[in-house]
Amino acid sequence: MNFADLGLSPLIIKALHAAAYQAPTAVQAEAIPAALAGTDLLVSAQTGSGKTAAFMLPSLHRVTTPSTASGNGPRILVLTPTRELAQQVQQASDKYGSEIHRLRTVSVVGGVPYGLQLKQMSRPVDIMVATPGRLMDHMERGRVDFDRLEVLILDEADRMLDMGFIDDIKHIVSKTPENRQTLLFSATLDGTVGVLARNLTRDPQRIEIGHAAATQSPQIEQRILMADNHFHKGKLLDALLQDAAVVQAIVFTATKASADTLTDQLREQGVAAAALHGDMPQSKRTRTLKAMHSGQIRVLVATDVAARGIDVPAISHVINFDLPRQAEDYVHRIGSTGRAGRTGIAISLAGFSERHMLRTIERYTHQQLTITTLPGLEPKPRAERPDSAPRNERSRPPYARQERSYERGSRFDFTRGQSDNESRPGGERRPSNRDAGFPSRDSQPRRFGPHSDAPKPYGPRPEARRSGPWEGRSAGGFADRNEGQGRNYWQNSPAESAGPDDHEAQPGANAWNSQPADKRSPARSYGGKPSGHGGARDGQPRGGQGPRKGKPSFSGKPGGQRPPRER
């Protein structure tokens, strides 16, 4: 079968012959006739299977017929997840429609000045290739109308949903005519993609090209290299890039920071490398792809943003420095090599902790991956864990604690000698501190708690009645320190042992009353002088309290009298 048998326009057949396209692929042979019939399509195809031509050729065939509607809006709208994929679709449109007179194709993507896009959309547009984010910006400003829209194409729908464009897609579709034709291309048609497909299409025809077709292609040789750690991966990558068979290679990383770091390391080693990820401006990303096409760049370090938008024929190797998070991304990554009947090699560097991801890829592709090694860079041997054996039959380390052969009993039974070796079952046990020369915990005295063997800081309290906060703490080791600290101390002490100023040195409420009359201090007035005016009566302190010292009089002068009240 050739393209002429599919019912395409002679102008398109002429452009395909000029591009050296002879026979259609499997997805093209099934999708093109159904799209020309005007039915909605749900196509499951992988990168490198020729899906771009599968929806562009019937769209260009429709453009050869003039439109009857008025306006400047597009007749064909193609939504793509990334700018690189949009650029690839625009280039394919220009190639396949090179013989169509006055074909106008516009790319509406981020990173491009608005003025240039507005100038291109000011005239009637035949094909518009856009990313959802930038197209939403133009729609909110009223710069795009879909009155002439005939075909809506969603390329890599699963990728757009993964990037969070589902709300934008629903809003864009709501503004399109209901009598449009919808073509949805995705790696899988299950899950969220299937729900979206049912809401967008009407009686669609489902076309599925096996998802393992790209991986089972004899043009792509797949290898797995096990690595001990991140540094081991770097050595493996260095050894792979030193091979002369590597013409151009794409190295995929998991994060943008890893892509920049790995690019700097390769440049220090003298490798012509460049990075490609979503944080780069569109102008720099375009220059990087052009340098890759021209051969100026030998190694392109990219994230998954470039997994579905690079079509460089000279790419001979695809190296997964980090395994993809989803098995579908693995198929799209390795689809960057072995395109258009060429041969390619896909090598994945995996750690031992990533073996579950390898099994997920094998289940998705229905193909067993081959694990190989590089001479001198073999991974360290590791003992296989008998996960498949029953738990009670697995080998145990020699120091593992043996199970007790008797019933433990209640945890409140303190009469059983659990620390005695005779009560424990025989067998090899973990060495204890006693065997290593350290004193056992049972042989050490208790150092804390009410029943500890440590000496008490004070003795038992006396049974005398307490009459104050310091009463009863004059015994034990603190007898000298607490001596005399009590309210009744001076009452129980002999009178001749008290000095003239002992009432000031020893605190107590009854210190002054308990002294003999000849040793008491003279009474003091409020003015601070020994007088009976205003401060005491008959030489006794006022209120039974101690004398006050240095308090000023009512007149403001020490020792003064109260001034008479003016009448």
Side-chain angles (χ1 to χ4, degrees):
M1 179 183 293
N2 51 27
F3 288 100
D5 300 335
L6 300 178
L8 295 172
S9 173
L11 298 177
I12 300 176
I13 298 298
K14 184 178 179 180
L16 292 176
H17 286 305
Y21 281 51
Q22 300 297 332
T25 61
V27 62
Q28 295 170 2
E30 297 187 28
I32 291 177
L36 292 176
T39 59
D40 293 354
L41 296 181
L42 299 180
V43 183
S44 175
Q46 305 299 326
T47 301
S49 59
K51 62 179 181 56
T52 303
F55 62 78
M56 285 307 306
L57 294 181
S59 301
L60 291 172
H61 178 83
R62 185 184 290 269
V63 172
T64 55
T65 304
S67 176
T68 58
S70 60
N72 296 333
R75 299 179 60 184
I76 310 296
L77 176 61
V78 184
L79 294 180
T80 61
T82 61
R83 310 170 193 173
E84 286 74 23
L85 191 56
Q87 184 178 2
Q88 178 181 340
V89 173
Q90 183 183 10
Q91 294 175 358
S93 175
D94 296 338
K95 182 191 297 184
Y96 304 147
S98 58
E99 299 296 332
I100 300 177
H101 183 59
R102 300 182 64 179
L103 176 67
R104 295 188 57 82
T105 304
V106 177
S107 178
V108 180
V109 297
V112 179
Y114 283 90
L116 178 60
Q117 295 178 355
L118 292 176
K119 182 178 180 180
Q120 293 176 350
M121 291 187 298
S122 61
R123 292 175 292 180
V125 178
D126 296 323
I127 299 177
M128 176 180 290
V129 186
T131 53
R134 178 56 66 92
L135 182 60
M136 284 284 296
D137 293 343
H138 288 290
M139 291 177 57
E140 292 176 355
R141 292 170 174 82
R143 300 168 180 171
V144 181
D145 65 277
F146 297 117
D147 296 337
R148 300 199 311 159
L149 187 66
E150 302 176 11
V151 181
L152 172 63
I153 302 173
L154 281 76
D155 191 13
E156 305 289 357
D158 57 332
R159 182 63 176 170
M160 285 191 288
L161 295 183
D162 293 341
M163 298 175 65
F165 289 142
I166 183 171
D167 294 335
D168 295 345
I169 293 175
K170 291 180 179 180
H171 180 74
I172 294 172
V173 172
S174 64
K175 301 299 181 180
T176 58
E178 295 183 357
N179 58 349
R180 69 185 186 276
Q181 181 185 11
T182 304
L183 308 179
L184 188 145
F185 287 75
S186 175
T188 178
L189 298 177
D190 300 330
T192 311
V193 180
V195 176
L196 179 65
R198 288 191 296 269
N199 297 332
L200 300 184
T201 57
R202 298 171 298 175
D203 298 330
Q205 180 178 348
R206 193 183 184 103
I207 300 175
E208 294 187 18
I209 306 299
H211 57 263
T215 58
Q216 295 176 356
S217 176
Q219 286 81 12
I220 302 178
E221 179 184 355
Q222 303 177 59
R223 305 174 188 173
I224 302 295
L225 294 178
M226 303 302 297
D228 296 329
N229 46 40
H230 186 78
F231 300 100
H232 193 192
K233 283 187 177 183
K235 295 180 180 179
L236 292 173
L237 179 61
D238 187 17
L240 292 173
L241 296 180
Q242 290 180 3
D243 190 0
V246 180
V247 181
Q248 281 185 322
I250 299 181
V251 180
F252 286 101
T253 59
T255 60
K256 307 169 187 177
S258 300
D260 292 333
T261 303
L262 189 59
T263 302
D264 296 339
Q265 294 176 359
L266 294 178
R267 288 177 178 175
E268 292 177 357
Q269 298 174 4
V271 181
L276 183 66
H277 51 76
D279 286 349
M280 299 171 55
Q282 182 59 32
S283 58
K284 188 175 181 179
R285 293 165 66 172
T286 304
R287 290 196 303 267
T288 302
L289 290 179
K290 288 183 179 179
M292 191 73 179
H293 279 275
S294 61
Q296 300 177 6
I297 298 177
R298 183 171 177 246
V299 179
L300 180 65
V301 184
T303 56
D304 285 331
V305 71
R308 310 187 185 189
I310 296 181
D311 186 10
V312 180
I315 295 178
S316 59
H317 288 68
V318 171
I319 302 175
N320 294 318
F321 190 83
D322 297 324
L323 290 181
R325 300 176 182 176
Q326 299 179 1
E328 297 87 349
D329 295 335
Y330 173 81
V331 179
H332 287 283
R333 284 183 178 186
I334 69 174
S336 302
T337 185
R339 302 174 69 94
R342 299 180 179 89
T343 59
I345 299 176
I347 304 175
S348 300
L349 309 181
F352 287 93
S353 60
E354 299 174 333
R355 287 176 293 182
H356 66 285
M357 303 178 65
L358 296 178
R359 290 191 292 267
T360 303
I361 295 174
E362 290 178 349
R363 287 194 299 265
Y364 181 79
T365 59
H366 301 287
Q367 184 181 9
Q368 186 176 2
L369 303 178
T370 305
I371 299 179
T372 60
T373 58
L374 294 180
L377 294 176
E378 296 85 356
K380 297 179 181 179
R382 297 196 177 191
E384 294 292 338
R385 182 178 180 181
D387 295 336
S388 58
R391 191 174 187 86
N392 55 354
E393 297 181 4
R394 297 178 185 176
S395 60
R396 308 183 67 180
Y399 53 81
R401 178 177 296 179
Q402 302 294 330
E403 297 293 338
R404 297 180 183 272
S405 58
Y406 60 92
E407 185 178 1
R408 182 181 295 271
S410 175
R411 61 190 180 96
F412 298 102
D413 187 6
F414 299 101
T415 60
R416 303 185 62 173
Q418 297 183 3
S419 61
D420 191 4
N421 292 332
E422 297 179 358
S423 62
R424 297 180 179 179
E428 189 175 2
R429 299 189 300 271
R430 184 189 295 271
S432 60
N433 293 337
R434 183 180 302 175
D435 300 335
F438 298 98
S440 175
R441 182 177 180 180
D442 299 337
S443 62
Q444 296 179 359
R446 288 180 173 269
R447 301 175 58 183
F448 305 99
H451 303 288
S452 63
D453 300 333
K456 302 300 186 295
Y458 51 85
R461 297 182 178 180
E463 297 185 3
R465 185 181 64 84
R466 295 177 56 183
S467 60
W470 299 97
E471 185 70 25
R473 296 196 179 185
S474 59
F478 296 92
D480 298 337
R481 182 184 304 178
N482 298 330
E483 184 177 0
Q485 296 184 6
R487 292 188 177 183
N488 301 327
Y489 173 78
W490 286 102
Q491 295 179 0
N492 301 329
S493 300
E496 58 273 7
S497 62
D501 297 331
D502 283 347
H503 67 279
E504 299 180 1
Q506 300 293 343
N510 301 327
W512 191 87
N513 294 333
S514 60
Q515 295 182 7
D518 54 347
K519 294 187 177 182
R520 296 177 184 176
S521 300
R524 297 178 182 272
S525 64
Y526 287 99
K529 298 181 179 181
S531 172
H533 296 281
R537 295 180 181 179
D538 300 333
Q540 297 292 337
R542 175 178 295 181
Q545 300 178 357
R548 301 184 181 181
K549 300 179 181 181
K551 187 174 182 180
S553 62
F554 289 97
S555 60
K557 298 180 180 180
Q561 300 295 330
R562 185 169 184 172
R565 182 180 297 180
E566 297 180 2
R567 295 183 180 179

